[in-house]
Amino acid sequence: MRRTTEQIIEKICFFSALISGFITCSIFLFLLIPGLPLFRGGHFFSILTGPWEPGLGQFGIYPMISGTLAVTMLTMLFAFPLSLGCATLISMEGNFRLSRLLRKIVEMMTGVPTVIYGFVGIFLLVPLVRNFFVNGGSGMCILSAALMLTLLASPTMILLFCDSFSRVPHSYGDAVLAVGGTEVQKFLYVTLPCSWPGILMGFTLALGRVLGDTLVALMIAGNAVQVPGSLFDSVRTLTSHIALVFAADYNSPEFQAIFACAIFLYFFSTLLAVSVRLIHSRWRINT
Amino acid sequence: MKKSLGVFFSLLMVVAFATDSLAGALDIFTGEKGEVRIAGGTAHIPVMKEAAIRIMRHNPDIHISVGGGGSGAGIKQVGEGLIDIGNSGRKANEDEISRYGLQMFKWAIDGVAIVVNPVNKVRSLSQEQVAAIYAGTITNWQEVGGEDRKINIYTRDEASGTRAVFWKKALAKGNVAKNANFVVSNGAMKAAVSQDSYAIGYVSIGHMNDSLAGVAFNSIEPTLANVQSGKYPIARGLYSNTKGEPIGLVKKVIDYLFTAEGQEIVVQKGFISVK
């Protein structure tokens, strides 16, 4: 009896794995097949590096790629130290009730829908950026989007960081304290180094979230098709570009170009995931 | 989005159930049952919503959902059978008509007004000035009689019918500067320009209110009267498209827009009746 249940459960798990694997692969094929004319014509790279001038028959997505990278990097620049600091405070705070309250607030923040962040961005942050910086232009810019995305990406990172801190065995920390180390030394020289795989994982997940987020950037980054030259420039991310061009005619070259965007996003996030796996497994071998 | 709108309308229906008996044009819906999905042009939304509320108030067995997406999306989605009525603020082109077998129904005329923030004192621009601002050759409000501030350009996405008519008739198919901000609906344009003191944008005249200031184009004010008389040139029809001849409930919804009551909604929402 027990064996059959086990077998059934095993089968169910196997099929679930098979289906999710199959879906991932078929998404890739779905992207690749309509995008094939781009590769065959040999102008896939010219699309990646060219300008977007539909009027002149040029459908390059370089402005969108640079916009995406600018927004993503700035966001991570804000979000990573912020999250690390928050997680440290939550883990180190002696007052149990305060740290629990902080943690609850962060947990609640993970559940806020992105459209809410978008609205808050439009009605609070954008006017603030516009009025605070005289050269801020319309306020719809890389800086606004990155600040809002920081709010979006941080909670996930904070929670993952906290978890990885708490996974470090207590005995390690106790040993530091036993030889006369302070709490700060314990954190800096033991907890932090021991939990770096978790930190890396949190970083990657947050990066993926920022890279893939559409709504916040669509609502407050301004969506101008230009290679950004300053923090106050309006930019269009790859995901926004897909959302904006999607309604265009099916057979048009514009529509083909958004497949190039999708393929680029797919490759980029796969690359991220794989490299994290590699680093992670190497770390395992070394310790 | 569509679903939440549906829920919203269902609630309205329940509230309004008791007051049903306005009769008249709505009688054609008596005894009908079913769902009508409408999406596409965002200029159409105020009229479509009002019509949907009235129809569903009359007959709670009918569900009508109204979504946006832009004219391009309206045409594409109705052509592919995802929705029943696809709205567009431009005529479907030959290719779209032949590919999808579209039927077009023009139930209102709308103007596209060039708008600035009420704080801005510029109230009149020539066609050349508008084209130069959008092309990025005029970049400061001072050059057209305003303050010494940079002009923030707002435009619409590729799927927008409002953009199509603005580009053709106001910009004379000219370029749009690379640093122009893109917004995705008439509502979003209104929100953006009403917040940004140094913005320039364009919206459907039906969406105009005190939060925006209309700019005269070649000295012609963007008013309904001027659109109606044909003096104001940036105008277009508002269309509803169906795949093939509409039948049943979908036909009745479109017919309703052409009744005296339907056209009254059109006028009430700031558009020009086709009758």
Side-chain angles (χ1 to χ4, degrees):
Chain A
M1 183 60 196
R2 194 161 166 187
R3 266 192 71 85
T4 41
T5 344
E6 245 170 48
Q7 269 177 345
I8 291 171
I9 291 173
E10 204 184 297
K11 283 264 149 50
I12 292 175
C13 291
F14 175 71
F15 276 112
S16 313
L18 201 70
I19 288 171
S20 22
F22 175 73
I23 290 175
T24 317
C25 293
S26 45
I27 289 176
F28 183 63
L29 282 180
F30 165 77
L31 288 178
L32 208 59
I33 291 169
L36 214 58
L38 296 174
F39 288 104
R40 205 180 289 141
H43 47 256
F44 185 72
F45 286 99
S46 69
I47 279 193
L48 285 189
T49 54
W52 177 263
E53 298 271 8
L56 301 176
Q58 286 181 301
F59 303 97
I61 56 172
Y62 179 65
M64 277 59 89
I65 291 177
S66 57
T68 305
L69 293 181
V71 169
T72 308
M73 285 192 307
L74 192 66
T75 306
M76 294 317 285
L77 205 67
F78 292 148
F80 183 69
L82 186 82
S83 305
L84 201 59
C86 273
T88 311
L89 180 73
I90 291 174
S91 312
M92 296 260 295
E93 174 60 45
N95 185 340
F96 177 65
R97 285 175 67 183
L98 180 66
S99 70
R100 202 178 53 176
L101 179 73
L102 283 173
R103 201 187 152 93
K104 283 277 172 253
I105 293 174
V106 173
E107 274 169 9
M108 220 167 67
M109 278 175 72
T110 55
V112 178
T114 53
V115 66
I116 306 281
Y117 286 119
F119 267 116
V120 172
I122 283 193
F123 290 107
L124 289 175
L125 186 68
V126 169
L128 211 68
V129 169
R130 178 165 50 225
N131 298 328
F132 193 73
F133 302 98
V134 183
N135 298 324
S138 66
M140 291 191 168
C141 59
I142 299 177
L143 183 69
S144 306
L147 285 172
M148 222 55 227
L149 283 167
T150 302
L151 267 187
L152 180 80
S154 298
T156 325
M157 262 202 284
I158 295 172
L159 291 179
L160 278 160
F161 290 174
C162 283
D163 289 346
S164 67
F165 290 162
S166 64
R167 268 204 305 273
V168 176
H170 273 292
S171 54
Y172 291 14
D174 292 343
V176 176
L177 298 180
V179 295
T182 62
E183 284 285 344
V184 176
Q185 286 172 329
K186 175 185 125 186
F187 183 78
L188 276 182
Y189 298 113
V190 177
T191 315
L192 211 52
C194 284
S195 48
W196 86 263
I199 293 177
L200 192 70
M201 189 73 96
F203 183 84
T204 324
L205 276 177
L207 191 64
R209 187 149 189 214
V210 173
L211 204 63
D213 179 79
T214 314
L215 215 52
V216 171
L218 185 66
M219 287 170 88
I220 64 180
N223 302 319
V225 185
Q226 61 180 349
V227 179
S230 95
L231 289 185
F232 304 112
D233 276 353
S234 158
V235 291
R236 185 184 288 197
T237 62
L238 284 165
T239 47
S240 305
H241 187 60
I242 294 175
L244 284 164
V245 179
F246 185 68
D249 196 347
Y250 252 164
N251 297 329
S252 61
E254 281 101 326
F255 205 82
Q256 281 189 358
I258 67 174
F259 275 97
C261 293
I263 291 171
F264 183 81
L265 273 173
Y266 195 102
F267 267 124
F268 203 72
S269 46
T270 311
L271 199 74
L272 268 176
V274 170
S275 52
V276 167
R277 278 282 164 82
L278 281 177
I279 296 171
H280 205 210
S281 58
R282 275 213 119 140
W283 179 83
R284 283 252 164 89
I285 293 163
N286 290 343
T287 45
Chain B
M1 183 63 187
K2 224 191 237 174
K3 202 170 173 189
S4 63
L5 273 177
V7 171
F8 171 58
F9 286 145
S10 320
L11 281 174
L12 269 178
M13 254 158 41
V14 173
V15 173
F17 188 53
T19 62
D20 141 61
S21 74
L22 283 163
L26 287 165
D27 283 346
I28 47 170
F29 293 103
T30 311
E32 282 285 346
K33 209 172 179 169
E35 197 194 353
V36 180
R37 292 157 301 171
I38 304 173
T42 56
H44 305 58
I45 291 178
V47 174
M48 283 295 175
K49 263 188 175 165
E50 178 65 26
I53 288 170
R54 290 196 190 185
I55 293 167
M56 291 191 290
R57 192 179 288 171
H58 177 78
N59 182 350
D61 287 333
I62 299 173
H63 286 265
I64 300 179
S65 61
V66 181
S71 300
I75 290 171
K76 199 164 96 180
Q77 287 181 8
V78 75
E80 278 154 19
L82 299 171
I83 51 173
D84 303 306
I85 298 176
N87 295 328
S88 64
R90 61 170 171 88
K91 269 187 189 164
N93 61 39
E94 288 300 321
D95 182 43
E96 287 163 339
I97 295 172
S98 61
R99 181 153 21 118
Y100 298 131
L102 291 183
Q103 286 285 324
M104 291 190 286
F105 300 91
K106 176 176 165 184
W107 47 262
I109 297 163
D110 176 29
V112 175
I114 298 160
V115 291
V116 295
N117 191 286
V119 172
N120 192 330
K121 289 186 193 65
V122 176
R123 287 290 180 279
S124 179
L125 291 168
S126 68
Q127 192 274 326
E128 290 77 23
Q129 285 173 322
V130 173
I133 288 172
Y134 268 86
T137 45
I138 292 180
T139 57
N140 196 307
W141 280 112
Q142 214 170 19
E143 294 172 64
V144 289
E147 284 177 60
D148 180 19
R149 290 297 288 254
K150 194 174 152 265
I151 302 176
N152 297 325
I153 307 169
Y154 289 84
T155 185
R156 290 277 310 277
D157 54 288
E158 325 274 326
S160 162
T162 312
R163 184 199 71 101
V165 67
F166 177 80
W167 178 67
K168 198 166 136 197
K169 297 185 178 169
L171 302 185
K173 303 195 179 182
N175 275 336
V176 174
K178 287 210 163 142
N179 62 359
N181 293 305
F182 283 69
V183 292
V184 290
S185 66
N186 274 294
M189 180 67 91
K190 204 160 120 182
V193 177
S194 63
Q195 289 222 344
D196 184 344
S197 308
Y198 304 101
I200 186 167
Y202 50 90
V203 293
S204 150
I205 284 184
H207 280 72
M208 293 279 285
N209 63 9
D210 295 344
S211 67
L212 303 171
V215 173
F217 180 72
N218 284 339
S219 310
I220 303 161
E221 295 287 336
T223 59
L224 276 185
N226 283 341
V227 176
Q228 198 157 19
S229 68
K231 263 169 78 185
Y232 188 77
I234 319 170
R236 42 87 182 258
L238 294 185
Y239 299 85
S240 281
N241 307 289
T242 57
K243 192 180 171 75
E245 276 297 329
I247 45 164
L249 190 54
V250 175
K251 180 173 173 7
K252 288 186 178 176
V253 170
I254 289 176
D255 287 346
Y256 175 68
L257 292 171
F258 286 95
T259 62
E261 190 181 327
Q263 290 295 307
E264 187 194 305
I265 301 176
V266 165
V267 173
Q268 186 197 330
K269 295 295 175 192
F271 301 106
I272 293 156
S273 163
V274 288
K275 289 279 166 83

